[in-house]
Amino acid sequence: MAITLVNPEGLPEVGAYRQVSVASGSRLVFVAGQVAWDADGVTVGEGDLAAQVERCYLNVATALAGVGASFDDVAKLTVYVVDWTPDKMPLFAEGVTRAAAKLGAAPVPPGTLIGVAALDVPEHLVEVEATAVLD
């Protein structure tokens, strides 16, 4: 595997992700921001943050699988959430947990969550992009 996830001493341990990833592979994979669309471009979970987070993570997994990768190869996630406030964290975590259960793996690479005013389509509440490394 080309990615090693680490929680260095001196930084807090966060259950949702690791603080650092070390990439030893030679091929970079950049996954465009994935929103809560199904394969036909229909929004899934309109108005439901947990459902949209779940779908975004599943879409990232689908994109990765298309190039022979998985969440095990992800070095970094960036998540954009419309009108983010800390009280939305339980819904966000619920969506990640549901996706992890379907994927059979917990997506825990380093990540950044950014609150934004809006996304490309008004119904979209979240967008997830990934960078992966393959051998």
Side-chain angles (χ1 to χ4, degrees), residues 58-85:
L58 294 175
N59 286 350
V60 168
T62 298
L64 291 167
V67 296
S70 72
F71 265 101
D72 289 339
D73 302 303
V74 173
K76 174 83 166 57
L77 289 173
T78 304
V79 179
Y80 304 90
V81 181
V82 174
D83 296 327
W84 175 258
T85 56

Short mmCIF file of all heavy atoms in Angstrom, two decimals, residues 58-85:
data_model
loop_
_atom_site.label_atom_id
_atom_site.label_comp_id
_atom_site.label_asym_id
_atom_site.label_seq_id
_atom_site.Cartn_x
_atom_site.Cartn_y
_atom_site.Cartn_z
N LEU A 58 -19.57 7.54 -1.03
CA LEU A 58 -19.75 6.40 -1.94
C LEU A 58 -19.35 6.77 -3.36
O LEU A 58 -18.75 5.96 -4.08
CB LEU A 58 -21.19 5.89 -1.89
CG LEU A 58 -21.62 5.29 -0.55
CD1 LEU A 58 -23.12 4.93 -0.59
CD2 LEU A 58 -20.78 4.08 -0.17
N ASN A 59 -19.64 8.00 -3.78
CA ASN A 59 -19.23 8.45 -5.11
C ASN A 59 -17.71 8.56 -5.21
O ASN A 59 -17.12 8.22 -6.25
CB ASN A 59 -19.89 9.78 -5.46
CG ASN A 59 -21.37 9.61 -5.81
OD1 ASN A 59 -21.88 8.50 -5.95
ND2 ASN A 59 -22.07 10.72 -5.91
N VAL A 60 -17.06 9.03 -4.15
CA VAL A 60 -15.59 9.06 -4.15
C VAL A 60 -15.07 7.64 -4.30
O VAL A 60 -14.15 7.38 -5.09
CB VAL A 60 -15.04 9.73 -2.86
CG1 VAL A 60 -13.53 9.49 -2.73
CG2 VAL A 60 -15.34 11.22 -2.87
N ALA A 61 -15.65 6.69 -3.57
CA ALA A 61 -15.22 5.29 -3.67
C ALA A 61 -15.41 4.75 -5.07
O ALA A 61 -14.54 4.03 -5.59
CB ALA A 61 -15.98 4.43 -2.66
N THR A 62 -16.51 5.12 -5.72
CA THR A 62 -16.76 4.68 -7.09
C THR A 62 -15.71 5.26 -8.04
O THR A 62 -15.19 4.55 -8.91
CB THR A 62 -18.17 5.09 -7.53
OG1 THR A 62 -19.12 4.45 -6.67
CG2 THR A 62 -18.44 4.71 -8.98
N ALA A 63 -15.41 6.54 -7.87
CA ALA A 63 -14.39 7.18 -8.71
C ALA A 63 -13.03 6.50 -8.52
O ALA A 63 -12.31 6.22 -9.48
CB ALA A 63 -14.30 8.67 -8.39
N LEU A 64 -12.68 6.23 -7.25
CA LEU A 64 -11.41 5.57 -6.96
C LEU A 64 -11.36 4.17 -7.58
O LEU A 64 -10.36 3.79 -8.20
CB LEU A 64 -11.20 5.47 -5.45
CG LEU A 64 -10.94 6.79 -4.72
CD1 LEU A 64 -11.07 6.60 -3.21
CD2 LEU A 64 -9.56 7.36 -5.08
N ALA A 65 -12.45 3.42 -7.43
CA ALA A 65 -12.50 2.06 -7.98
C ALA A 65 -12.31 2.07 -9.49
O ALA A 65 -11.72 1.15 -10.07
CB ALA A 65 -13.81 1.38 -7.60
N GLY A 66 -12.78 3.14 -10.13
CA GLY A 66 -12.66 3.26 -11.59
C GLY A 66 -11.21 3.32 -12.08
O GLY A 66 -10.95 3.09 -13.26
N VAL A 67 -10.29 3.64 -11.17
CA VAL A 67 -8.87 3.69 -11.55
C VAL A 67 -8.05 2.68 -10.73
O VAL A 67 -6.84 2.80 -10.61
CB VAL A 67 -8.26 5.11 -11.41
CG1 VAL A 67 -8.94 6.07 -12.39
CG2 VAL A 67 -8.36 5.63 -9.98
N GLY A 68 -8.76 1.69 -10.15
CA GLY A 68 -8.06 0.64 -9.41
C GLY A 68 -7.61 1.04 -8.02
O GLY A 68 -6.66 0.47 -7.48
N ALA A 69 -8.28 2.00 -7.41
CA ALA A 69 -7.91 2.49 -6.08
C ALA A 69 -9.07 2.29 -5.11
O ALA A 69 -10.18 1.92 -5.51
CB ALA A 69 -7.52 3.97 -6.15
N SER A 70 -8.80 2.57 -3.83
CA SER A 70 -9.83 2.51 -2.80
C SER A 70 -9.51 3.58 -1.75
O SER A 70 -8.49 4.28 -1.86
CB SER A 70 -9.86 1.13 -2.13
OG SER A 70 -8.73 0.97 -1.30
N PHE A 71 -10.33 3.65 -0.71
CA PHE A 71 -10.07 4.62 0.35
C PHE A 71 -8.74 4.34 1.05
O PHE A 71 -8.15 5.24 1.64
CB PHE A 71 -11.22 4.68 1.36
CG PHE A 71 -12.20 5.78 1.07
CD1 PHE A 71 -13.40 5.51 0.46
CD2 PHE A 71 -11.92 7.10 1.41
CE1 PHE A 71 -14.30 6.52 0.18
CE2 PHE A 71 -12.80 8.12 1.13
CZ PHE A 71 -14.01 7.84 0.51
N ASP A 72 -8.25 3.12 0.98
CA ASP A 72 -6.93 2.81 1.55
C ASP A 72 -5.81 3.58 0.87
O ASP A 72 -4.73 3.74 1.42
CB ASP A 72 -6.63 1.31 1.44
CG ASP A 72 -7.48 0.48 2.38
OD1 ASP A 72 -7.99 1.02 3.39
OD2 ASP A 72 -7.61 -0.74 2.10
N ASP A 73 -6.06 4.06 -0.34
CA ASP A 73 -5.06 4.79 -1.12
C ASP A 73 -5.19 6.30 -0.99
O ASP A 73 -4.40 7.05 -1.56
CB ASP A 73 -5.17 4.40 -2.60
CG ASP A 73 -5.00 2.92 -2.82
OD1 ASP A 73 -3.95 2.39 -2.41
OD2 ASP A 73 -5.92 2.28 -3.36
N VAL A 74 -6.19 6.77 -0.25
CA VAL A 74 -6.44 8.22 -0.15
C VAL A 74 -5.46 8.85 0.83
O VAL A 74 -5.33 8.43 1.97
CB VAL A 74 -7.89 8.50 0.27
CG1 VAL A 74 -8.10 9.99 0.54
CG2 VAL A 74 -8.85 8.02 -0.82
N ALA A 75 -4.77 9.89 0.35
CA ALA A 75 -3.82 10.63 1.18
C ALA A 75 -4.47 11.83 1.84
O ALA A 75 -4.02 12.27 2.90
CB ALA A 75 -2.63 11.09 0.33
N LYS A 76 -5.55 12.38 1.24
CA LYS A 76 -6.14 13.62 1.76
C LYS A 76 -7.55 13.77 1.23
O LYS A 76 -7.80 13.52 0.05
CB LYS A 76 -5.29 14.82 1.33
CG LYS A 76 -5.85 16.20 1.66
CD LYS A 76 -5.53 16.60 3.07
CE LYS A 76 -5.75 18.05 3.40
NZ LYS A 76 -7.06 18.59 3.18
N LEU A 77 -8.47 14.15 2.11
CA LEU A 77 -9.84 14.50 1.73
C LEU A 77 -10.08 15.97 2.03
O LEU A 77 -9.58 16.49 3.04
CB LEU A 77 -10.86 13.69 2.54
CG LEU A 77 -11.01 12.22 2.23
CD1 LEU A 77 -11.94 11.58 3.26
CD2 LEU A 77 -11.53 12.00 0.83
N THR A 78 -10.85 16.62 1.19
CA THR A 78 -11.32 17.97 1.48
C THR A 78 -12.84 17.93 1.34
O THR A 78 -13.37 17.45 0.34
CB THR A 78 -10.72 19.01 0.53
OG1 THR A 78 -9.29 18.93 0.61
CG2 THR A 78 -11.16 20.42 0.90
N VAL A 79 -13.52 18.42 2.37
CA VAL A 79 -14.98 18.39 2.41
C VAL A 79 -15.49 19.81 2.53
O VAL A 79 -15.03 20.58 3.38
CB VAL A 79 -15.47 17.55 3.62
CG1 VAL A 79 -16.99 17.53 3.67
CG2 VAL A 79 -14.90 16.14 3.57
N TYR A 80 -16.45 20.15 1.69
CA TYR A 80 -17.09 21.46 1.70
C TYR A 80 -18.53 21.26 2.13
O TYR A 80 -19.25 20.46 1.53
CB TYR A 80 -17.04 22.09 0.31
CG TYR A 80 -15.64 22.19 -0.25
CD1 TYR A 80 -15.10 21.15 -1.02
CD2 TYR A 80 -14.85 23.31 0.01
CE1 TYR A 80 -13.81 21.24 -1.51
CE2 TYR A 80 -13.56 23.40 -0.49
CZ TYR A 80 -13.04 22.36 -1.25
OH TYR A 80 -11.76 22.43 -1.74
N VAL A 81 -18.97 21.98 3.18
CA VAL A 81 -20.33 21.84 3.68
C VAL A 81 -21.00 23.22 3.68
O VAL A 81 -20.46 24.18 4.22
CB VAL A 81 -20.36 21.25 5.11
CG1 VAL A 81 -21.79 21.09 5.59
CG2 VAL A 81 -19.63 19.91 5.15
N VAL A 82 -22.18 23.27 3.08
CA VAL A 82 -22.94 24.52 3.01
C VAL A 82 -23.42 24.91 4.41
O VAL A 82 -23.93 24.08 5.16
CB VAL A 82 -24.14 24.36 2.06
CG1 VAL A 82 -25.03 25.60 2.09
CG2 VAL A 82 -23.65 24.09 0.63
N ASP A 83 -23.22 26.18 4.74
CA ASP A 83 -23.67 26.76 6.01
C ASP A 83 -23.24 25.93 7.22
O ASP A 83 -24.02 25.67 8.13
CB ASP A 83 -25.20 26.92 6.02
CG ASP A 83 -25.69 27.91 4.97
OD1 ASP A 83 -24.96 28.88 4.69
OD2 ASP A 83 -26.78 27.69 4.41
N TRP A 84 -21.98 25.53 7.23
CA TRP A 84 -21.47 24.68 8.31
C TRP A 84 -21.54 25.37 9.67
O TRP A 84 -21.21 26.54 9.81
CB TRP A 84 -20.02 24.30 8.05
CG TRP A 84 -19.43 23.53 9.19
CD1 TRP A 84 -18.60 23.98 10.16
CD2 TRP A 84 -19.71 22.16 9.51
NE1 TRP A 84 -18.31 22.99 11.06
CE2 TRP A 84 -18.99 21.85 10.68
CE3 TRP A 84 -20.48 21.18 8.93
CZ2 TRP A 84 -19.03 20.60 11.27
CZ3 TRP A 84 -20.52 19.92 9.52
CH2 TRP A 84 -19.78 19.66 10.67
N THR A 85 -22.00 24.63 10.64
CA THR A 85 -21.92 25.00 12.06
C THR A 85 -21.57 23.72 12.81
O THR A 85 -21.92 22.61 12.37
CB THR A 85 -23.25 25.58 12.59
OG1 THR A 85 -24.29 24.63 12.36
CG2 THR A 85 -23.59 26.91 11.92
#
